[in-house]
Amino acid sequence: MKVVLQNLTKIYPSQDKGPDVTAVNNFNFEIPDGKLIGLLGPSGCGKSTTLNLISGLETPTSGKIFFGDDDVTDLPPEHRGVGLVFQSYALYPHMTVLQNILFPLENRKGKERLSKEEMNAKALEAAHLVQIEQYLKRKPAQLSGGQQQRVAIARALVKRPRVLLLDEPLSNLDARLRLQTREEIRRIQRETGITTVFVTHDQEEAMSISDQIVVMKDGIIQQIDAPQTVYDHPVNLFVAKFLGTPPINVFSGEVKDHMLYIGEDAVLKTDLEDRKVIVGIRPEGFILDENGPLKCAKIGVQVMGRDTSVVSSHPASLNDTVVSIISAENRVEGETVRFALKPFKTVLFADDTEEALDCWLSD
Ligand code: ADP
Ligand code: MG
């Protein structure tokens, strides 16, 4: 089921004489049928509001929402056919796992009502999909956090929703379970082919699970692209900084006679005319090279298995330190480390608007 957001806006009126909050500002995008979209942005940027507009829990101030060709803007949540999963599992503590999963089916009325056998078959199918069949008789308190979240997902899936909406579903899980459960969600989404919106503030989570990422800031969409495209070709400095660990290194730079300078160092050729720029370099964009143009003062070296992380400083760096990741086979000697730069790991931004500049770079 394709989902279309058209000029969608949600303004919360001011409280305590503060200003109105535009939580969702004129969203226009289409979620293709059967895809998993990651809604990514810092806390308070409007992710949950967007999800709640799609589910019908919130009413838009203006704009429309379509599921396929159906305009669902005025449809109450229970008639939209959405499955919802939240950060808190919100299971009924006094019911067994099976009863929790059955609950949405038992609530159906009239023509939609299924026989006991049909309901049981559907509940077992959902339990099988999330691999919790062996716990059907337990109460939620007798399950781990990861298992409880699977039950919540099964409960969301049992009605075969047209759209599955997940709001930070992994945030309450510890690091290992988070990894495992996100793989599970990916598998379940692929198996069912249900169009899914996955909300997270964790860029790595969004990168690993999504077909497409929607990056948001202050209620405004910054970029919609495949994860690797967002990482390699961020549209602005905010997006560049929000994706990647360790984060992108940022320098003030200048173009003179088609040469890009970082401080005194002439690092790459470019087709840009003379101007001031902001230079973003991914940690993996540095090549250790004794004749390399970028001269940094070494602060420390950390070997982390396969890779070595070199921490250094540079007078034109806009961060406290420059963090580069190089292969662990390299030895980093001396006080000064010199780097050549990979042009495709370097992005230039306008010094005033911080928008990415369309240009080529080469060494
Ligand atoms: P996120 O999920 O990205 O953390 P939210 O969608 O929850 O962000 O919130 C977006 C903005 O809208 C925030 O500034 C938040 O304070 C505000 N907001 C959310 N819900 C309400 C509400 N019911 N009333 C007033 N303001 C709200
Ligand atoms: Mg939220």
Side-chain angles (χ1 to χ4, degrees):
M1 178 69 53
K2 173 177 88 174
V3 175
V4 180
L5 309 186
Q6 211 176 68
N7 303 117
L8 197 68
T9 294
K10 177 69 182 181
I11 301 172
Y12 291 111
S14 67
Q15 287 164 342
D16 314 324
K17 300 205 175 106
D20 292 354
V21 176
T22 307
V24 172
N25 195 339
N26 197 30
F27 274 26
N28 283 291
F29 71 91
E30 183 175 316
I31 305 168
D33 181 32
K35 295 293 183 200
L36 192 156
I37 298 296
L39 273 190
L40 174 67
S43 178
C45 74
K47 302 180 298 295
S48 294
T49 305
T50 308
L51 210 70
N52 294 341
L53 289 169
I54 299 173
S55 71
L57 294 175
E58 292 277 5
T59 317
T61 308
S62 58
K64 286 189 179 304
I65 301 166
F66 297 87
F67 287 3
D69 295 327
D70 293 350
D71 182 346
V72 300
T73 315
D74 297 320
L75 214 57
E78 61 272 22
H79 294 140
R80 291 195 186 187
V82 293
L84 288 169
V85 178
F86 298 101
Q87 176 176 345
S88 61
Y89 323 122
L91 300 173
Y92 301 107
H94 58 286
M95 294 186 189
T96 64
V97 166
L98 180 63
Q99 287 166 335
N100 266 284
I101 300 174
L102 279 169
F103 189 79
L105 298 178
E106 287 179 331
N107 255 358
R108 287 187 177 177
K109 309 230 158 50
K111 273 208 308 262
E112 298 215 317
R113 183 110 189 138
L114 303 172
S115 72
K116 194 106 205 129
E117 289 72 34
E118 285 169 318
M119 283 196 261
N120 267 317
K122 280 188 181 289
L124 287 177
E125 191 191 340
H128 176 70
L129 198 59
V130 303
Q131 300 177 341
I132 46 159
E133 299 114 303
Q134 62 270 50
Y135 309 122
L136 289 174
K137 292 205 179 80
R138 291 203 198 172
K139 297 274 173 64
Q142 297 167 308
L143 300 176
S144 72
Q147 291 162 343
Q148 290 187 50
Q149 195 55 303
R150 284 167 197 234
V151 177
I153 295 169
R155 188 179 54 182
L157 289 173
V158 74
K159 292 177 294 187
R160 284 278 150 175
R162 299 201 283 179
V163 182
L164 182 62
L165 304 172
L166 309 161
D167 194 348
E168 312 243 7
L170 309 178
S171 297
N172 281 1
L173 307 181
D174 64 44
R176 256 203 38 225
L177 258 179
R178 212 155 52 216
L179 279 182
Q180 192 190 336
T181 313
R182 90 179 180 210
E183 294 310 314
E184 282 287 286
I185 290 177
R186 190 64 183 138
R187 175 186 62 77
I188 293 163
Q189 196 274 330
R190 288 237 167 94
E191 271 180 45
T192 58
I194 298 175
T195 308
T196 300
V197 184
F198 183 101
V199 163
T200 178
H201 63 271
D202 179 335
Q203 54 91 22
E204 196 189 325
E205 205 164 279
M207 292 271 288
S208 66
I209 202 171
S210 312
D211 293 309
Q212 293 238 303
I213 293 183
V214 179
V215 187
M216 298 172 53
K217 180 194 175 194
D218 299 337
I220 297 172
I221 295 178
Q222 307 290 303
Q223 185 164 7
I224 308 177
D225 268 311
Q228 197 63 40
T229 309
V230 182
Y231 184 80
D232 289 335
H233 305 287
V235 297
N236 59 35
L237 189 58
F238 170 83
V239 174
K241 284 181 175 174
F242 200 73
L243 277 88
T245 39
I248 195 164
N249 296 282
V250 184
F251 303 83
S252 61
E254 190 168 3
V255 177
K256 279 184 283 190
D257 293 334
H258 299 297
M259 227 24 236
L260 171 64
Y261 288 82
I262 294 179
E264 307 279 292
D265 305 337
V267 290
L268 291 170
K269 299 191 194 88
T270 176
D271 60 343
L272 282 182
E273 297 302 325
D274 291 6
R275 63 166 299 156
K276 288 200 187 324
V277 292
I278 297 168
V279 187
I281 307 170
R282 294 282 175 202
E284 67 276 23
F286 298 81
I287 304 161
L288 201 63
D289 178 348
E290 57 190 22
N291 300 314
L294 188 73
K295 294 189 275 297
C296 298
K298 187 170 79 183
I299 297 173
V301 176
Q302 269 180 313
V303 180
M304 310 170 297
R306 207 157 29 98
D307 298 323
T308 296
S309 160
V310 182
V311 181
S312 62
S313 65
H314 189 282
S317 172
L318 297 173
N319 311 115
D320 292 339
T321 56
V322 177
V323 178
S324 49
I325 307 284
I326 57 173
S327 160
E329 291 138 34
N330 289 294
R331 296 178 65 85
V332 188
E333 278 153 351
E335 301 280 291
T336 303
V337 271
R338 297 182 66 139
F339 297 105
L341 300 180
K342 298 178 189 169
F344 58 96
K345 290 289 176 186
T346 305
V347 194
L348 301 189
F349 304 93
D351 59 319
D352 45 4
T353 63
E354 302 190 348
E355 300 286 322
L357 294 166
D358 189 16
C359 62
W360 64 257
L361 293 165
S362 88
D363 46 13

